Amino acid sequence: MYTKLEKTKGKSLYIALYESISADIASGRIKNGTRLPARRALALSLGVSQNTVDSAYKMLMDTGYIISIPRRGYIVSFNSPSNDTSAPWETSAHEQVVFSPNGIDISHINRVSYAKVMRDIVYNDGTDIFSYVDKGGEFELRSAISKYLYSFRGVKCSPDSIIIGAGAEYLLCSLAVLFPPECSFIFENPCDTHFYRTLAAYRIATDILPAGTGRFDIDALNASSGSILFIDPDARFPRNEPLNEDERRAAAEWANAADGRYIIENCCDSEIIYEPHEPIFNLDTGKVIYLGSFSRSFSPALKTSYMILPPELLSVWKSKHVYYYALTSKTEQFAIAEFLNNGGFTKHYKAVRKLYKEKRELLAESLISGFGSSIDLQDNHGSTYLTARIKEHTADEIKQLARLNGVKLFSMRSFNIDPASAIDDDRLVIGIGDLSREDIKIGVQLISRNFK
Amino acid sequence: MYTKLEKTKGKSLYIALYESISADIASGRIKNGTRLPARRALALSLGVSQNTVDSAYKMLMDTGYIISIPRRGYIVSFNSPSNDTSAPWETSAHEQVVFSPNGIDISHINRVSYAKVMRDIVYNDGTDIFSYVDKGGEFELRSAISKYLYSFRGVKCSPDSIIIGAGAEYLLCSLAVLFPPECSFIFENPCDTHFYRTLAAYRIATDILPAGTGRFDIDALNASSGSILFIDPDARFPRNEPLNEDERRAAAEWANAADGRYIIENCCDSEIIYEPHEPIFNLDTGKVIYLGSFSRSFSPALKTSYMILPPELLSVWKSKHVYYYALTSKTEQFAIAEFLNNGGFTKHYKAVRKLYKEKRELLAESLISGFGSSIDLQDNHGSTYLTARIKEHTADEIKQLARLNGVKLFSMRSFNIDPASAIDDDRLVIGIGDLSREDIKIGVQLISRNFK
């Protein structure tokens, strides 16, 4: 199977093996579902140590080429980048319209007023913007976030319990290493896969709840061996089915029922959701980490994110991360603080919530006029997307038809993190965040013309 | 010993145990060198599971309270934050002068010209500064760094081989997980401890070269079981004894001699070193990762750092870090690119190299006039510090005397990462980076007055 493993100068054997196998998988020469040779057999046939094969297989797992299934071995399971699990901004040139549920609208940012805030800071704050950063984030920013969260969602937290970081993913990683290594993180499947894959890249254990339809599966949560639940209760992306009050309370009870259990409440989307619920954080159990950012609600070019830690985790974080702080620049931290304090963000959030609502309504109208009674739509005020079923067609069929017409569509299965388990939910997830009204109309015309 | 372990609502037992022991160590009730009870014995006496004790001990190790020594058990080894291994900006109020070798001068930054660059970007770059970031960093910045490194140090690299990140520590972590988990990182002892401690916090294995005096210990490197050497060859902080040409070549040969070996060449200080050597990177072995930043050379408030990856690591990085990118904002990336292209950084570096040279000379003069012939000074054009011995006195004695006079001094031992091994080097490491000329004179007067 792999006979051409040659020792190249400056290249480890296991890397050469990894590259050879991964290239064959990426090019399709080795198909998904193929079982790779047993490690000992492959080592013998290549004349290398089993260690070399182990390292190569480990790296293939880490990088998402293969999975290990007990008693079956190493199975190829690869989502090629041309698949729709790629990041939404990585689109091919031939696609005219991409209905990405991750896209957001940046054309309505009040650039002049944000620029004014930036300029004032750079010109007026003396040399302070060049001095040492506070490792948990600048106090001005933590204080502004604390005030904002209280007025926006009734979240009560002191500025001292807030940690700032460059991106929600970094914060998640810095949090993950506070727990014992055997601790595993629980994700619903499907979900916003990049948090899951970030942890996987950092070798953090994860547990996936079986893919259910609709409501949150509390029984599966109770049956899980994991102890940290990662969830975005206001949307449960890509379902667009928020946790209701009872489910929020049930999740909090699960966390309270055993030592070492926590909930990471991902609220990065909450600002652009039309009517967000009360956060689980507000149940005040001391077991909830609140995670927020300005990437989805304002601009992905701002890398400043934040989390609120309960007291016992805060002290562990401080003693563990004595030196490491991946932060954004002081200038950006001060600018965000000022834009929070002067109401700039609140004004923006209000405007985009209205904008996304109008675009979702336009999408719904266009879909209904295009597909007529064969479409079954759902819109729970979900920020930048809605979900839909086309009767008598699977999501995959519709996606394929759309692709032939130059349109990229996503489905629940696009966000499957567990290739081994089928997702019993055949809805499309249709996003309009970064599309113009014109694009929405053209896109729907293109995908529905075979149905006329 | 620990009898008051009570179950608190919302707090794991192992955390309670961790907090109880760590508090006793921090307060000095348990002294350094004390052997903690065996895990089984402690579990029995507290009536908890051995798992609980294991997790607590593990956390105590991770956070630097105890170390595990084979056949001796768990030994308390704690550098309290009031010790001089604390970050240089964490000083107590009663210290009048802190001779930190980590301090840098930010008073000479041309704030107006940097502010102008920022303003032009915010006002002129349209909405682009709010759109998605490139996950390896903006091309403009990578391209500017590539041009700058070629003209400054003859480093040849394409913009595509450069990865941008929020802080050199983050880049190091994102790099560490590309290697198999059994892979260990080699550090010289003493060293700039925060890179070491960052890896420890992320559970990355490390190997410490025995603390030698003076020159780099190639034999110890060859004897190490580690495979990734982390070194700052232009200074070998805090030694201020750069690797010479032969040693650079020997290090490169070590990396070439076996698969999977690499050198991380930490050049974060190189811009402010008076006469930096040719980087090991330029030996073109494909086994060197070049790490750079703007924190030490310009301002610690800029969190933008970069590394150059050899091709085989670059492809692993890309497949492993499909989603994770802790970056600074686009605005800052564009601003740094422009400030590199318009020569702003080069001008600044030239000015601070001159400034640090003058301050080191003033320090040397003051020390000689204060201590007379009892001082033995060394200055190898080391950026912001020089090293010194006071004859007939240990570094600890001088530090203690200085502290009584309101002055904080550092020694080689202040940067010891391995409390188990004594450092056979009794030099003081005296920094002037963030001190005014007046402070330098006053500080030296205060520490030398007992010698008159």
Side-chain angles (χ1 to χ4, degrees):
Chain A
M1 194 170 182
Y2 318 105
T3 48
K4 288 185 302 183
L5 192 67
E6 280 171 65
K7 206 176 146 69
T8 324
K9 187 173 149 33
K11 181 177 285 190
S12 310
L13 274 175
Y14 82 91
I15 300 249
L17 182 58
Y18 163 81
E19 286 181 347
S20 150
I21 301 179
S22 62
D24 281 354
I25 295 174
S27 70
R29 272 192 297 278
I30 308 182
K31 298 261 176 303
N32 273 350
T34 309
R35 191 169 151 251
L36 291 189
R39 295 168 302 162
R40 223 172 80 89
L42 182 58
L44 280 173
S45 85
L46 292 173
V48 299
S49 78
Q50 192 176 325
N51 250 346
T52 303
V53 177
D54 284 353
S55 299
Y57 276 21
K58 176 74 178 54
M59 190 175 285
L60 287 166
M61 280 194 284
D62 286 346
T63 52
Y65 285 98
I66 64 173
I67 51 172
S68 158
I69 298 182
R71 286 176 301 277
R72 281 207 56 212
Y74 296 90
I75 310 294
V76 175
S77 162
F78 178 63
N79 283 314
S80 87
S82 63
N83 252 338
D84 55 20
T85 53
S86 62
W89 54 96
E90 287 167 358
T91 55
S92 23
H94 69 273
E95 278 153 355
Q96 291 181 54
V97 180
V98 179
F99 283 103
S100 166
N102 293 118
I104 68 158
D105 197 309
I106 55 164
S107 66
H108 285 65
I109 290 176
N110 188 336
R111 197 165 61 81
V112 174
S113 94
Y114 188 76
K116 195 180 164 312
V117 164
M118 286 284 267
R119 190 203 55 189
D120 288 352
I121 285 160
V122 174
Y123 276 99
N124 301 338
D125 277 22
T127 53
D128 190 38
I129 60 163
F130 295 116
S131 66
Y132 281 108
V133 291
D134 181 322
K135 76 181 173 188
E138 298 309 306
F139 182 78
E140 286 82 346
L141 176 57
R142 289 185 281 123
S143 165
I145 289 172
S146 151
K147 275 183 231 151
Y148 159 74
L149 284 179
Y150 181 67
S151 68
F152 173 55
R153 308 193 75 184
V155 167
K156 285 178 207 152
C157 70
S158 92
D160 294 332
S161 63
I162 298 176
I163 303 279
I164 308 292
E169 299 86 356
Y170 152 68
L171 286 173
L172 182 61
C173 287
S174 83
L175 187 59
V177 293
L178 305 186
F179 305 109
E182 64 275 13
C183 212
S184 114
F185 280 64
I186 306 167
F187 286 81
E188 273 197 283
N189 188 33
C191 67
D192 190 349
T193 48
H194 72 291
F195 288 104
Y196 174 82
R197 296 208 191 282
T198 297
L199 289 182
Y202 279 76
R203 296 169 186 147
I204 309 291
T206 47
D207 187 37
I208 303 167
L209 296 187
T213 50
R215 309 286 354 143
F216 183 67
D217 192 343
I218 289 283
D219 293 336
L221 178 64
N222 282 315
S224 167
S225 61
S227 49
I228 321 281
L229 172 65
F230 185 89
I231 192 166
D232 51 332
D234 294 325
R236 295 170 60 232
F237 182 93
R239 288 171 195 76
N240 187 18
E241 277 161 353
L243 287 192
N244 61 33
E245 302 310 312
D246 288 345
E247 290 163 334
R248 279 162 208 254
R249 246 191 309 274
E253 275 162 23
W254 165 85
N256 271 330
D259 281 345
R261 282 189 185 165
Y262 289 95
I263 297 170
I264 301 174
E265 185 170 21
N266 175 12
C267 296
C268 292
D269 257 26
S270 303
E271 274 78 12
I272 52 172
I273 283 169
Y274 210 66
E275 283 173 341
H277 292 63
E278 181 99 350
I280 306 177
F281 186 90
N282 288 10
L283 294 176
D284 199 21
T285 58
K287 303 279 254 172
V288 180
I289 297 116
Y290 186 103
L291 185 66
S293 85
F294 304 92
S295 302
R296 292 268 302 149
S297 54
F298 189 72
S299 154
L302 262 56
K303 299 303 295 175
T304 302
S305 302
Y306 58 90
M307 61 181 175
I308 313 172
L309 293 184
E312 72 179 39
L313 283 181
L314 188 63
S315 62
V316 183
W317 196 94
K318 282 183 178 166
S319 60
K320 184 110 182 174
H321 297 296
V322 179
Y323 286 104
Y324 183 32
Y325 33 95
L327 283 169
T328 51
S329 68
K330 261 191 156 177
T331 315
E332 177 164 306
Q333 291 188 55
F334 286 154
I336 292 179
E338 177 56 26
F339 214 59
L340 278 169
N341 290 336
N342 76 12
F345 279 116
T346 313
K347 213 177 281 178
H348 177 77
Y349 298 154
K350 211 175 150 186
V352 287
R353 277 195 298 264
K354 188 161 166 281
L355 177 70
Y356 292 145
K357 182 169 184 276
E358 287 163 8
K359 289 206 222 172
R360 284 198 318 270
E361 284 166 0
L362 174 64
L363 173 67
E365 281 164 27
S366 311
L367 285 170
I368 288 167
S369 104
F371 289 94
S373 62
S374 24
I375 198 160
D376 177 13
L377 280 175
Q378 254 187 304
D379 182 5
N380 299 323
H381 304 301
S383 56
T384 57
Y385 59 97
L386 47 76
T387 58
R389 258 190 213 89
I390 311 290
K391 288 168 197 164
E392 291 167 31
H393 289 277
T394 67
D396 283 343
E397 283 166 5
I398 303 293
K399 278 166 64 182
Q400 216 158 354
L401 273 172
R403 196 174 296 141
L404 295 173
N405 290 306
V407 174
K408 186 164 182 170
L409 283 178
F410 299 78
S411 69
M412 287 288 170
R413 286 197 192 87
S414 309
F415 305 95
N416 184 5
I417 45 173
D418 178 18
S421 86
I423 291 185
D424 187 22
D425 186 329
D426 207 36
R427 280 178 289 172
L428 293 161
V429 184
I430 313 176
I432 41 72
D434 55 354
L435 296 182
S436 67
R437 289 176 173 80
E438 198 54 27
D439 282 340
I440 296 173
K441 285 187 216 159
I442 292 172
V444 173
Q445 273 164 20
L446 287 169
I447 59 173
S448 61
R449 63 182 173 195
N450 306 77
F451 290 82
K452 296 254 161 115
Chain B
M1 196 169 181
Y2 318 105
T3 48
K4 288 185 303 187
L5 193 67
E6 277 169 68
K7 206 174 146 74
T8 324
K9 187 172 150 42
K11 181 178 283 189
S12 310
L13 273 176
Y14 80 91
I15 300 247
L17 182 57
Y18 163 81
E19 286 181 348
S20 149
I21 301 178
S22 62
D24 282 353
I25 294 174
S27 70
R29 273 193 296 278
I30 308 182
K31 297 261 175 304
N32 273 350
T34 309
R35 191 168 151 253
L36 290 190
R39 294 167 301 164
R40 223 173 77 88
L42 182 59
L44 279 173
S45 84
L46 292 174
V48 299
S49 79
Q50 192 177 323
N51 251 346
T52 303
V53 178
D54 285 353
S55 298
Y57 277 21
K58 175 74 179 54
M59 192 175 281
L60 287 166
M61 280 195 282
D62 285 347
T63 52
Y65 284 98
I66 63 172
I67 52 173
S68 157
I69 299 183
R71 286 178 302 276
R72 283 206 56 214
Y74 295 89
I75 309 294
V76 175
S77 163
F78 178 62
N79 283 314
S80 88
S82 63
N83 252 338
D84 54 21
T85 54
S86 62
W89 54 95
E90 287 166 359
T91 55
S92 19
H94 70 272
E95 279 154 355
Q96 291 182 56
V97 181
V98 179
F99 282 104
S100 166
N102 293 118
I104 68 158
D105 196 309
I106 56 164
S107 66
H108 284 66
I109 290 176
N110 188 335
R111 196 166 62 82
V112 174
S113 96
Y114 188 76
K116 196 181 165 308
V117 164
M118 286 284 267
R119 190 202 54 189
D120 288 353
I121 286 161
V122 173
Y123 276 100
N124 302 337
D125 278 21
T127 53
D128 190 39
I129 60 164
F130 295 116
S131 66
Y132 281 110
V133 292
D134 181 323
K135 77 179 172 190
E138 297 310 305
F139 182 79
E140 286 82 346
L141 176 58
R142 290 186 279 122
S143 166
I145 289 172
S146 152
K147 276 184 229 150
Y148 159 74
L149 284 178
Y150 181 68
S151 69
F152 173 55
R153 308 192 76 183
V155 167
K156 285 178 206 153
C157 70
S158 92
D160 293 332
S161 63
I162 297 176
I163 303 280
I164 308 292
E169 299 84 357
Y170 154 67
L171 285 173
L172 183 61
C173 287
S174 83
L175 188 59
V177 292
L178 305 186
F179 305 109
E182 64 274 13
C183 212
S184 109
F185 280 65
I186 307 167
F187 286 82
E188 274 198 282
N189 187 33
C191 68
D192 190 349
T193 48
H194 72 291
F195 288 104
Y196 175 82
R197 297 208 189 281
T198 297
L199 289 181
Y202 279 75
R203 298 169 184 146
I204 308 292
T206 46
D207 186 37
I208 302 167
L209 296 187
T213 49
R215 309 286 355 144
F216 183 68
D217 192 342
I218 289 284
D219 293 336
L221 177 64
N222 281 314
S224 166
S225 61
S227 49
I228 321 282
L229 172 64
F230 185 88
I231 193 166
D232 51 332
D234 295 325
R236 294 170 60 231
F237 181 94
R239 288 172 195 77
N240 187 18
E241 278 162 352
L243 288 191
N244 61 33
E245 301 310 312
D246 288 345
E247 288 162 336
R248 279 163 206 254
R249 246 190 310 274
E253 276 162 21
W254 165 85
N256 270 332
D259 280 345
R261 284 189 183 163
Y262 289 95
I263 297 170
I264 302 174
E265 187 170 20
N266 174 12
C267 296
C268 292
D269 255 27
S270 304
E271 274 78 12
I272 52 171
I273 283 169
Y274 209 66
E275 285 173 341
H277 291 63
E278 180 99 350
I280 307 178
F281 186 90
N282 287 10
L283 295 175
D284 199 21
T285 57
K287 303 280 253 170
V288 180
I289 297 116
Y290 186 104
L291 186 66
S293 86
F294 304 93
S295 302
R296 292 268 302 148
S297 53
F298 187 73
S299 154
L302 262 56
K303 300 303 296 174
T304 302
S305 303
Y306 58 90
M307 62 181 174
I308 313 171
L309 292 183
E312 72 179 39
L313 283 182
L314 187 64
S315 63
V316 182
W317 196 94
K318 282 183 178 167
S319 61
K320 183 110 183 174
H321 296 296
V322 179
Y323 287 103
Y324 183 31
Y325 34 93
L327 284 169
T328 50
S329 67
K330 260 191 157 177
T331 314
E332 176 164 306
Q333 292 189 55
F334 285 154
I336 293 179
E338 178 55 26
F339 214 59
L340 277 169
N341 289 337
N342 75 13
F345 278 116
T346 313
K347 214 178 279 177
H348 178 77
Y349 298 155
K350 211 174 149 187
V352 286
R353 278 196 297 263
K354 188 160 165 280
L355 177 70
Y356 291 144
K357 183 169 184 278
E358 287 164 8
K359 289 207 224 172
R360 286 198 317 270
E361 284 167 359
L362 174 64
L363 173 66
E365 280 163 26
S366 312
L367 286 170
I368 288 167
S369 103
F371 288 95
S373 62
S374 24
I375 197 160
D376 177 13
L377 280 175
Q378 254 187 308
D379 181 6
N380 299 322
H381 303 303
S383 56
T384 57
Y385 59 96
L386 47 76
T387 58
R389 258 190 212 88
I390 312 289
K391 288 169 197 163
E392 292 166 29
H393 289 277
T394 66
D396 283 342
E397 283 167 5
I398 302 293
K399 277 165 64 181
Q400 216 158 353
L401 274 172
R403 197 173 297 140
L404 295 173
N405 290 306
V407 174
K408 185 163 181 171
L409 283 177
F410 298 79
S411 69
M412 287 289 170
R413 285 198 192 87
S414 309
F415 304 95
N416 185 5
I417 43 172
D418 177 18
S421 85
I423 291 185
D424 186 22
D425 186 329
D426 207 37
R427 279 178 289 172
L428 293 161
V429 184
I430 313 175
I432 42 70
D434 55 353
L435 295 183
S436 68
R437 288 176 173 80
E438 199 53 28
D439 282 340
I440 296 173
K441 285 187 215 160
I442 292 172
V444 174
Q445 273 163 21
L446 287 169
I447 58 173
S448 62
R449 62 182 175 194
N450 306 79
F451 290 83
K452 295 253 163 114

